[in-house]
Amino acid sequence: MTGRGQRLFITRAALDQARLGPDPDAPEQRVLAPGQVRLSVERFALTANNITYAALGKAMRYWQFFPAGDAALGCLPVWGFATVQESCTEGVTAGQRVWGYFPAGTHLVVAPVRVTATGFMDGSLHRQELAGVYNQYLFCAADPAWHPVLEGLQAVLRPLFLTAFLLDDHLADNDFFGARQLLLSSASSKTALGTAHCLAQRRHQPGCPRIVGLTSAGNAEFVRSLGCYDEVLTYEQWPAQVAPVPTAYIDFAGDAQLRRRVHIQFADMLMFSSSIGGTHWEALGSARDLPGPRPTLFFAPAQVKARSAPPPDGWGSAELQRRMGHAWAQFVDQVRQGEWVQTLEQRGAQAAWEAYGHMLGGHMPARQALLLDMRG
């Protein structure tokens, strides 16, 4: 890898148009200012969640985290690991390894604030009004969730499981909106699997709804094998086979036609409809003029903020972290025991560009997960 580095740039108006270019935060492109730190991005995960970030880039301001220098382009947000390459900030030293939110590339320049023994927040001006959960960087050596052996699973699953944990909490806190069954689209997606896992832990509780997963015919056997769903149906099966009882629809696919079919099918029996992701990015569309409840967008950082409030309004930050940590440990154990995920590592900028196109086309097997390193 040269000092120019590499970054993936995506055309915002046409997600299938992407190119590689010099990383604007690489040493040859940018000199550090006082108070800044240059991170060398080492490995990151590429999942359907990243396609959601791109599909909702404008609406949810995901493009603003890592400006591309051209309003027509965006830098794909990813989760992974980096090492401090250079530091002009007290409390952050070269060689420290961090976990956090990066652009798909080789470098990121941050401006650490609130530096502690456990990590820091990026205080860069363009990120100050964005959701704080994405601006936090943790030192791996002080992160209880980090373990060298589990790095691959952490990069792939930890951000998705955070959303899953918070979604499960949101549903339970609202008594599942009176639903007797939960219908999860894109049931093989890793965020859906995490949600189903959390929901399945409540099976012994009175009033817990049945968990029904919708997936493609090719993924149905895999999803059934996990044991998280009470029933798994293909998209072709569900209209005739799903029971007409009070239902909540949790949309991980972002497919407007499927959403409309669900709303028409259940109408007054649909108690709640929420969109989480956009794995079917090409089918995203308007939620207007649908029978039943108006679909809402679940935004995990809002639930973090609510639960982080001191009691009695919330749990408090420490208690939220404790509960998430406990749930994460349980989930990772089940993933490892059941071999739910097979990580595939690829290196080089060209490999990352090809992997993005592959993921965008929906060609990744449900059990597989990609770990990428764009350094040469």
Side-chain angles (χ1 to χ4, degrees):
M1 181 186 73
T2 69
R4 297 171 68 237
Q6 290 281 284
R7 189 175 286 189
L8 183 68
F9 296 94
I10 299 167
T11 301
R12 296 188 185 190
L15 300 186
D16 55 347
Q17 296 179 22
R19 64 172 178 82
L20 296 169
D23 194 307
D25 285 345
E28 281 189 10
Q29 307 298 318
R30 182 174 182 180
V31 176
L32 285 191
Q36 292 184 330
V37 164
R38 191 184 328 273
L39 302 174
S40 175
V41 182
E42 294 181 346
R43 62 199 312 213
F44 59 85
L46 184 67
T47 70
N49 184 52
N50 304 109
I51 304 304
T52 296
Y53 288 150
L56 300 178
K58 180 179 179 180
M60 301 302 294
R61 304 173 72 186
Y62 291 124
W63 295 133
Q64 294 186 34
F65 283 93
F66 313 113
D70 181 338
L73 300 177
C75 297
L76 184 70
V78 295
W79 291 89
F81 297 93
T83 294
V84 177
Q85 185 175 1
E86 303 174 64
S87 177
C88 295
T89 298
E90 186 176 350
V92 182
T93 58
Q96 283 184 295
R97 202 133 187 274
V98 300
W99 155 261
Y101 198 57
F102 304 100
T106 54
H107 296 86
L108 175 65
V109 171
V110 293
V113 295
R114 288 190 263 168
V115 180
T116 69
T118 59
F120 60 85
M121 301 289 288
D122 183 5
S124 297
L125 188 62
H126 67 278
R127 295 179 68 165
Q128 289 182 7
E129 295 184 358
L130 302 175
V133 69
Y134 299 111
N135 292 336
Q136 185 177 32
Y137 293 84
L138 301 177
F139 296 132
C140 292
D143 180 5
W146 176 80
H147 192 285
V149 175
L150 300 179
E151 262 200 9
L153 288 180
Q154 177 172 334
V156 171
L157 295 175
R158 187 172 172 181
L160 308 180
F161 184 74
L162 172 62
T163 298
F165 171 85
L166 295 166
L167 174 59
D168 165 73
D169 174 57
H170 175 67
L171 292 169
D173 193 44
N174 287 278
D175 296 321
F176 302 101
F177 299 90
R180 289 171 50 194
Q181 70 181 0
L182 302 174
L183 192 63
L184 278 61
S185 68
S186 197
S188 69
S189 70
K190 294 172 181 61
T191 313
L193 292 182
T195 304
H197 164 83
C198 291
L199 290 167
Q201 309 312 302
R202 301 180 183 275
R203 280 181 172 142
H204 66 284
Q205 299 176 4
C208 183
R210 293 178 71 252
I211 311 164
V212 181
L214 298 181
T215 190
S216 66
N219 287 330
E221 183 178 350
F222 164 69
V223 176
R224 290 190 183 103
S225 74
L226 306 179
C228 292
Y229 294 93
D230 296 304
E231 187 175 10
V232 176
L233 301 173
T234 67
Y235 292 115
E236 293 75 22
Q237 291 174 321
W238 81 266
Q241 297 191 23
V242 175
V245 299
T247 297
Y249 178 50
I250 313 300
D251 179 15
F252 293 95
D255 186 326
Q257 291 186 352
L258 177 60
R259 185 189 305 122
R260 179 167 292 278
R261 288 168 60 198
V262 170
H263 276 251
I264 292 173
Q265 171 85 4
F266 291 99
D268 292 343
M269 298 290 272
L270 191 63
M271 315 305 292
F272 178 69
S273 176
S274 184
S275 178
I276 314 301
T279 57
H280 299 174
W281 66 275
E282 73 287 354
L284 287 171
S286 173
R288 296 177 183 173
D289 304 322
L290 293 176
R294 181 175 178 81
T296 60
L297 183 67
F298 179 74
F299 188 50
Q303 190 73 4
V304 170
K305 185 176 180 179
R307 284 307 196 190
S308 296
D313 296 326
W315 294 335
S317 241
E319 178 63 12
L320 172 61
Q321 294 300 323
R322 187 195 69 79
R323 294 194 189 201
M324 285 195 300
H326 178 69
W328 166 249
Q330 285 186 318
F331 181 59
V332 168
D333 283 347
Q334 186 160 348
V335 168
R336 296 182 75 192
Q337 290 173 15
E339 297 182 344
W340 288 14
V341 176
Q342 299 169 347
T343 55
L344 177 65
E345 300 208 29
Q346 297 181 351
R347 188 179 176 98
Q350 183 68 23
W353 177 80
E354 292 174 359
Y356 169 74
H358 203 62
M359 182 66 68
L360 195 68
H363 303 309
M364 283 291 296
R367 195 186 291 269
Q368 247 181 36
L370 285 177
L371 286 174
L372 302 174
D373 180 346
M374 288 183 63
R375 298 172 297 172

